[in-house]
Amino acid sequence: MIRLCGLSSSSSHRLCQTGIRHVGRLHNGFVNVVAKSGASSSSSSSSSSTLSELIGTVSDPEHRVLNIERSIQSSEDIVGILSRCSVSDILTVVDSAVGSDEKEGRPLSFHRDGDSVLGNDKIPRYWRGSFESVPSYMGQYDVIICNMGNSAETLRDDLLKSSLVTRPGGSIILWSNDASETFSRDMLEKVVHDLCIDVVDVGCSSGSVAHLRVPKHYAFARGPVYMKGEIVQGYGRGSKELGVPTANLAIPDVEDQIAGLPLGVYFGWAQLLDSDNGVYKMVMNIGKRPTFVKDNSPDSSVEAHVMHSYDHDFYGETMKVVLLGYLRPEIPFSGLQELLNRIHTDIGISRTQLDSEKWSEFANDEFFNSSF
């Protein structure tokens, strides 16, 4: 037996022996499914036992789970395992569920006691189509289970999308029932090096099951990172095009502090010296602005959006910043509106995290009262 996440073969997790099979009927775009007792499906994959134990370890009856599958048939095994763990809030996304006469994005809802109206009821349900087509109101998720299928070449994209909809502290389980598709810790750590994901453990014999996690409170290995720099003229997009004003820190002032950090979005606290000594919540982008292709600049910028209204421009003034959490890498968006939507999401997450007991105390850090 492979040992994962501290779970031994003598684990106290006991799954009931009754399985679930589904009989459905189409009604107003939903499929209502009757659950019946029956023998659970068995998998010939050598990873099945380990996968079951890992799911049992990280899952809680109150969790919301996203199950990303390549076929309806393989999804029933996972739904059965989760149901036996008393998890009911399960959304299964199956690309192959889109038939020639069906439209992508039409929800299929498994419902035992009547018709589903909302589409995000706490019941096992299916979603036809791609991961990207799932509405945001169906997340965030405590656990994401991803069947790699034949998608090893898109693994990073799948993990990036998973990290954006997984609650901090939540688990991502990768598995494959294809013996030709295995993964090592080294390989996974290279894939996630710039993602907000930690590799917890990898099945040591088959390499076909892996446990990853979004860090609690989005903490990152190098954090906290303290920096101080002069505010310089930027491109003006934060205010003019997006309505989200930013302060650009001079790269020479902070280059030692940002060296080796993944390019992407961080949050923390900021203090504008000289004219305002208040310490305010802040979200920062360190990167190359991939959405604005016309720039095509190899140089990085360090742009902080401070969650406070100042009554003046502050070019030439000095700002102190402490970076506490890392949300995501830079993403090239299709347009300004998509970028703006994500920026507002980043701001909302950052505001919530900075209100937490873990990060709120940094507003009173000695750094903001020192001469550094």
Side-chain angles (χ1 to χ4, degrees):
M1 181 76 68
I2 301 171
R3 185 168 181 153
L4 280 177
C5 313
L7 179 67
S8 69
S9 59
S10 60
S11 168
S12 61
H13 288 273
R14 292 177 181 157
L15 307 180
C16 67
Q17 299 302 310
T18 57
I20 296 177
R21 57 190 177 87
H22 308 289
V23 180
R25 60 184 176 83
L26 187 63
H27 180 73
N28 293 333
F30 293 87
V31 169
N32 302 311
V33 176
V34 180
K36 297 185 177 181
S37 298
S40 61
S41 300
S42 61
S43 171
S44 59
S45 169
S46 61
S47 66
S48 60
S49 179
T50 300
L51 178 63
S52 298
E53 290 193 355
L54 180 54
I55 291 174
T57 302
V58 303
S59 299
D60 181 272
E62 297 302 315
H63 280 170
R64 170 169 285 184
V65 178
L66 175 64
N67 178 32
I68 304 171
E69 284 289 353
R70 311 300 168 184
S71 70
I72 291 179
Q73 289 74 22
S74 60
S75 73
E76 292 186 354
D77 289 341
I78 303 301
V79 172
I81 292 171
L82 289 165
S83 297
R84 294 192 293 273
C85 294
S86 300
V87 178
S88 59
D89 191 351
I90 309 165
L91 174 64
T92 296
V93 178
V94 186
D95 282 352
S96 63
V98 181
S100 59
D101 60 341
E102 299 291 351
K103 295 181 179 180
E104 181 180 45
R106 289 187 66 189
L108 290 134
S109 183
F110 284 175
H111 206 310
R112 301 183 186 184
D113 301 309
D115 296 339
S116 172
V117 177
L118 300 177
N120 63 345
D121 309 79
K122 292 186 177 180
I123 53 173
R125 57 206 185 277
Y126 276 163
W127 180 263
R128 291 189 183 96
S130 63
F131 188 178
E132 295 89 338
S133 69
V134 178
S136 59
Y137 69 82
M138 291 190 176
Q140 288 184 316
Y141 305 94
D142 300 285
V143 179
I144 293 183
I145 303 169
C146 183
N147 182 351
M148 285 182 61
N150 297 315
S151 65
E153 69 279 1
T154 63
L155 178 58
R156 184 188 178 279
D157 288 342
D158 286 345
L159 288 175
L160 169 58
K161 289 180 286 188
S162 297
S163 70
L164 296 179
V165 294
T166 302
R167 299 182 197 278
S171 292
I172 300 172
I173 298 174
L174 292 180
W175 72 283
S176 175
N177 49 12
D178 186 338
S180 66
E181 291 180 347
T182 60
F183 29 84
S184 66
R185 175 180 286 273
D186 287 345
M187 182 270 279
L188 287 175
E189 288 182 343
K190 289 178 182 177
V191 170
V192 304
H193 79 280
D194 65 339
L195 302 183
C196 183
I197 293 177
D198 294 329
V199 179
V200 179
D201 216 336
V202 179
C204 56
S205 65
S206 64
S208 54
V209 178
H211 180 199
L212 299 88
R213 180 181 293 136
V214 173
K216 291 182 178 180
H217 300 286
Y218 299 104
F220 62 104
R222 285 269 307 278
V225 175
Y226 297 89
M227 62 180 73
K228 175 183 175 182
E230 179 185 356
I231 298 171
V232 298
Q233 185 77 42
Y235 288 88
R237 286 193 203 86
S239 300
K240 295 178 181 177
E241 296 188 39
L242 299 176
V244 183
T246 58
N248 288 259
L249 272 64
I251 294 296
D253 293 347
V254 299
E255 58 185 350
D256 289 342
Q257 287 76 25
I258 66 173
L261 288 179
L263 302 183
V265 179
Y266 297 79
F267 63 79
W269 295 94
Q271 179 187 45
L272 181 64
L273 304 181
D274 305 323
S275 61
D276 186 327
N277 286 317
V279 179
Y280 304 109
K281 297 171 184 174
M282 176 275 311
V283 60
M284 173 178 282
N285 185 80
I286 301 175
K288 302 179 182 295
R289 309 170 298 275
T291 300
F292 299 98
V293 179
K294 59 186 177 183
D295 291 344
N296 198 28
S297 171
D299 298 325
S300 296
S301 64
V302 178
E303 303 177 58
H305 169 69
V306 182
M307 301 179 206
H308 176 74
S309 295
Y310 295 98
D311 58 7
H312 66 289
D313 290 333
F314 32 76
Y315 299 123
E317 296 188 35
T318 302
M319 180 172 283
K320 285 184 174 182
V321 169
V322 56
L323 302 183
L324 300 172
Y326 175 62
L327 295 179
R328 61 174 178 86
E330 282 200 300
I331 303 171
F333 295 96
S334 60
L336 289 181
Q337 188 57 54
E338 186 180 2
L339 170 60
L340 184 59
N341 291 343
R342 184 64 221 184
I343 288 174
H344 284 303
T345 297
D346 294 336
I347 292 172
I349 294 172
S350 300
R351 191 188 303 275
T352 299
Q353 288 298 315
L354 290 167
D355 280 334
S356 70
E357 183 177 350
K358 182 174 180 65
W359 299 135
S360 61
E361 62 184 26
F362 280 86
N364 301 312
D365 194 276
E366 289 184 7
F367 170 67
F368 296 116
N369 298 313
S370 69
S371 59
F372 168 78

